[in-house]
Amino acid sequence: MRLVTLAIVAAVSPDFASSQSPEEHAKHHPAGGAAPSMAPAGGAGMAGGEMGEMMKEMGKAPRKAFYPSLMDLPALSPRQRDTVEQQAHARMTAGARIMVEALGPMSETASRKDYPALQSATERMRQGLAQFESGLAAHRALAEGASPPEVALRWFKTEMNLAQPAAGASARTWFGVPVFHAISMGLIAAFALVMTMIYFSRLRRARALVTELISERPATIAPGPASTPPPPPAPRTPPSPSTQGSWSGELRVARIFQETADVKTFRLAPITGEDLPFSFEPGQFLTIAAAIDGKTVKRSYSIASSPCCRGWCEITVKHAPSGAVSAYLHEQTAVGDRVSVAGPYGRFTFRGETPSVVMIAGGVGITPMMSSIRYLTDQSWGGDIYLVYACASLDKVIFRDELDYLSSRHPNLHSVVVLSDEPASSWTGERGRVSAELLARVVPDLPSRRTHVCGPPPMMDAVKAALVTLGVPAEAVRTELFLAPERPAAPAPAESPSAPAAGAAVCTFTRSGKKAPLTPDQTVLEAAEEIGVAIDYSCRQGFCGVCRTLLVSGRVTMAVEDGLSAQDKAAGYILACQAKSASDIAVEA
Ligand code: FES
């Protein structure tokens, strides 16, 4: 094989034979003179001893050039192959001639027992045989189709005494890849796939958890790597009773904003601390108490800000012509003043309990709905919000710029403004009143949606009639009356309990031990105020529940009971501002 290798290298690498200078070669072959050529031309083949010496020296400079030279040759060109074949044939011929020439002297020296000469002849014979074998091996390698790199590899393994692979070992492959290598790569790929699945599974679960935390709903996390999409909005726990969790005290007026010509927003902040001393639902209201002409007057105003703001809340107040408290706020209250506040109250709330909601507002009745809209957009709530907002003219539209801004950023907020008396012809929006025709046109599939209505009484009556016409079920409608006339200050307490009028029923207040006459058109609250029995109140409309009082005995009628929960009614509570009776009763006050 060494001879074959050298023969091929000599044929295809002209630098190989000349890779050593004559001087360097003389160092290796001090008795040989000039370096013998690897080419057989001229019959100057390399002697066997020289070849041996050469192979011994292949760990030096020539060996470095030999291996990479062959490895760099991907295949023999036809021309190189012819050259190698010719050189191999020439080596065989030269080797045979050397052996023939050495045979005569060998027999002659043997007969005369000239042993030194016999040894020289034997050496020549060996050289000839070596040349002949190298030529023959080159022929054979070429005939078997061995490539130069394969020849070089066999040579290398031979030199290094490495075991040759067993026959058939190379056949244990899958698609040309060794079996062990294929199995290893398969295991690595499977491990990477499993780790990737675990990563995405954890990512989904974390996203679901964050979504649930943001919406303040119980987390629903699918086990394992399931690709369950985030759950749809789920109904929330119903708000607590209107008077539960309420607070009373003073807040500081931190800012005042002029919304329209007769509407201002008052930002109320805690006197001390950073957060409000209460939490509220979007749509609830506060009761403001003001000392006017030596008397305490209360009035309720919806909170317009989002409960996401913990450091302050805002009430938006219209300056009513005869409104004592609204005039007090508009004309006498300044930034830095303290106001007496109680609340929050009310059940007219919405924070995403149903998949969509319709809000129909009139004038300043937008305020409780604005709190919900701000909250829902703050939370990126995904349900549809249909707002139908009725005003007289464009300059009376409260929060107009903010509604436009929120609608542009939240495609699920569909806002429609309806103007009844807008003089400008440039207004291209809806005109007229909120009618069944308009609602059916701007709110798709209205009967299937929860509807909130808030505004002045005429508007409320018209909208409720329109909803009945459209087939909206009564249980899907929530209402809150607005712009209720402010009550005059309570009359001064009587010096002593009045005697019941003839023919009138008697209302007994069990806690104070007082009694008052109760005429059929008089409420329990009015009867209590006449004799100085304190019953707290706010809206005086039956909505807030602040005047909630326990009925000890007797029977009453109430025009509005919205301020009572089912539990309140079952426990025997009444609304003092609504309760009337034609017979004697007793209440806990
Ligand atoms: S004062 Fe509001 S319900 Fe009676």
Side-chain angles (χ1 to χ4, degrees):
M1 182 57 69
R2 296 174 185 172
L3 298 174
V4 174
T5 301
L6 289 172
I8 294 176
V9 170
V12 301
S13 178
D15 295 336
F16 177 75
S18 59
S19 60
Q20 297 176 87
S21 65
E23 291 75 15
E24 289 173 321
H25 189 82
K27 294 177 183 175
H28 306 154
H29 308 279
S37 172
M38 288 294 295
M46 184 181 286
E50 292 171 330
M51 177 66 80
E53 287 298 314
M54 187 67 172
M55 298 311 292
K56 290 176 182 176
E57 294 297 321
M58 289 186 79
K60 299 179 182 178
R63 181 171 297 197
K64 291 178 183 176
F66 169 74
Y67 186 73
S69 297
L70 283 180
M71 293 305 292
D72 290 341
L73 291 172
L76 291 173
S77 66
R79 188 162 169 265
Q80 289 171 329
R81 184 184 179 89
D82 289 344
T83 302
V84 171
E85 283 181 341
Q86 290 173 11
Q87 292 177 348
H89 182 73
R91 291 180 75 85
M92 291 176 65
T93 303
R97 186 170 63 248
I98 292 171
M99 285 190 290
V100 169
E101 290 173 355
L103 188 60
M106 184 181 291
S107 56
E108 181 185 342
T109 54
S111 60
R112 53 185 168 88
K113 297 182 179 180
D114 183 356
Y115 298 115
L118 180 58
Q119 186 173 10
S120 177
T122 303
E123 191 66 28
R124 289 285 296 164
M125 180 65 78
R126 188 178 296 116
Q127 291 175 6
L129 181 59
Q131 280 212 33
F132 187 87
E133 282 183 335
S134 68
L136 179 59
H139 266 302
R140 186 178 173 185
L142 292 173
E144 291 175 353
S147 63
E150 184 178 346
V151 171
L153 191 62
R154 289 178 187 175
W155 168 84
F156 181 78
K157 289 181 177 179
T158 303
E159 287 294 305
M160 299 300 293
N161 284 326
L162 297 176
Q164 294 290 339
S170 61
R172 291 199 296 270
T173 60
W174 286 345
F175 305 104
V177 180
V179 174
F180 177 78
H181 184 73
I183 292 174
S184 300
M185 294 304 294
L187 289 175
I188 293 172
F191 177 76
L193 182 62
V194 169
M195 294 304 293
T196 303
M197 291 176 66
I198 291 174
Y199 169 76
F200 281 105
S201 170
R202 289 180 174 175
L203 203 61
R204 272 193 210 97
R205 297 177 68 185
R207 190 182 302 146
L209 183 60
V210 170
T211 301
E212 295 294 345
L213 289 174
I214 289 175
S215 61
E216 298 182 5
R217 281 186 272 109
T220 303
I221 302 174
S227 57
T228 306
R236 287 183 51 79
T237 303
S240 58
S242 61
T243 57
Q244 288 184 10
S246 60
W247 171 89
S248 63
E250 288 188 327
L251 293 178
R252 174 178 53 89
V253 177
R255 290 282 189 281
I256 299 176
F257 305 98
Q258 188 79 45
E259 303 288 1
T260 66
D262 57 356
V263 175
K264 287 182 179 179
T265 291
F266 298 84
R267 177 172 292 181
L268 306 177
I271 303 295
T272 58
E274 297 181 349
D275 288 346
L276 287 171
F278 56 86
S279 59
F280 62 92
E281 295 286 316
Q284 286 192 302
F285 61 84
L286 299 175
T287 295
I288 306 297
I292 300 173
D293 297 333
K295 301 180 180 64
T296 299
V297 181
K298 298 179 180 178
R299 188 68 170 95
S300 298
Y301 299 100
S302 292
I303 302 172
S305 57
S306 167
C308 293
C309 305
R310 290 296 306 131
W312 45 264
C313 65
E314 291 177 346
I315 56 173
T316 299
V317 180
K318 181 178 180 179
H319 191 173
S322 58
V325 178
S326 65
Y328 166 79
L329 289 172
H330 271 258
E331 299 168 6
Q332 302 180 40
T333 304
V335 172
D337 288 352
R338 296 185 178 189
V339 293
S340 180
V341 174
Y345 306 118
R347 291 189 177 83
F348 189 69
T349 62
F350 184 81
R351 57 189 304 167
E353 294 88 341
T354 54
S356 66
V357 66
V358 180
M359 298 179 176
I360 305 172
V364 78
I366 187 70
T367 50
M369 299 176 180
M370 198 62 195
S371 179
S372 285
I373 290 171
R374 284 167 166 164
Y375 171 78
L376 295 172
T377 51
D378 281 345
Q379 299 294 315
S380 299
W381 186 62
D384 282 315
I385 307 168
Y386 294 93
L387 172 66
V388 180
Y389 185 18
C391 287
S393 56
L394 200 56
D395 62 343
K396 296 186 183 305
V397 177
I398 310 169
F399 309 129
R400 179 186 173 195
D401 291 342
E402 185 176 353
L403 286 171
D404 288 343
Y405 173 76
L406 292 175
S407 296
S408 68
R409 293 177 69 92
H410 300 271
N412 58 323
L413 173 58
H414 316 281
S415 177
V416 175
V417 173
V418 187
L419 302 180
S420 59
D421 298 308
E422 172 56 40
S425 58
S426 57
W427 171 252
T428 58
E430 299 288 342
R431 289 178 180 270
R433 306 284 180 182
V434 178
S435 62
E437 180 277 327
L438 182 141
L439 291 174
R441 180 157 46 84
V442 301
V443 182
D445 200 18
L446 176 58
S448 68
R449 306 182 192 278
R450 174 162 159 173
T451 302
H452 284 218
V453 187
C454 183
M459 177 261 184
M460 296 273 290
D461 293 341
V463 170
K464 285 191 279 189
L467 295 176
V468 171
T469 302
L470 294 171
V472 179
E475 60 269 20
V477 180
R478 305 284 191 279
T479 61
E480 181 154 277
L481 192 62
F482 224 83
L483 292 181
E486 291 191 23
R487 301 287 299 182
E495 292 296 327
S496 60
S498 303
V506 175
C507 179
T508 301
F509 299 95
T510 58
R511 192 183 304 146
S512 62
K514 295 180 179 179
K515 295 185 179 185
L518 186 65
T519 60
D521 60 347
Q522 194 177 30
T523 66
V524 171
L525 178 59
E526 291 167 342
E529 288 174 337
E530 284 191 355
I531 62 170
V533 174
I535 296 180
D536 204 4
Y537 68 92
S538 180
C539 69
R540 303 182 79 104
Q541 298 289 328
F543 296 109
C544 68
V546 175
C547 63
R548 171 177 165 270
T549 306
L550 183 64
L551 178 64
V552 178
S553 64
R555 298 175 67 86
V556 299
T557 59
M558 291 181 285
V560 180
E561 301 178 8
D562 291 5
L564 292 176
S565 66
Q567 297 94 319
D568 290 337
K569 294 175 184 176
Y573 283 96
I574 62 171
L575 296 174
C577 71
Q578 298 292 303
K580 298 177 181 179
S581 180
S583 58
D584 293 348
I585 61 172
V587 297
E588 189 179 71

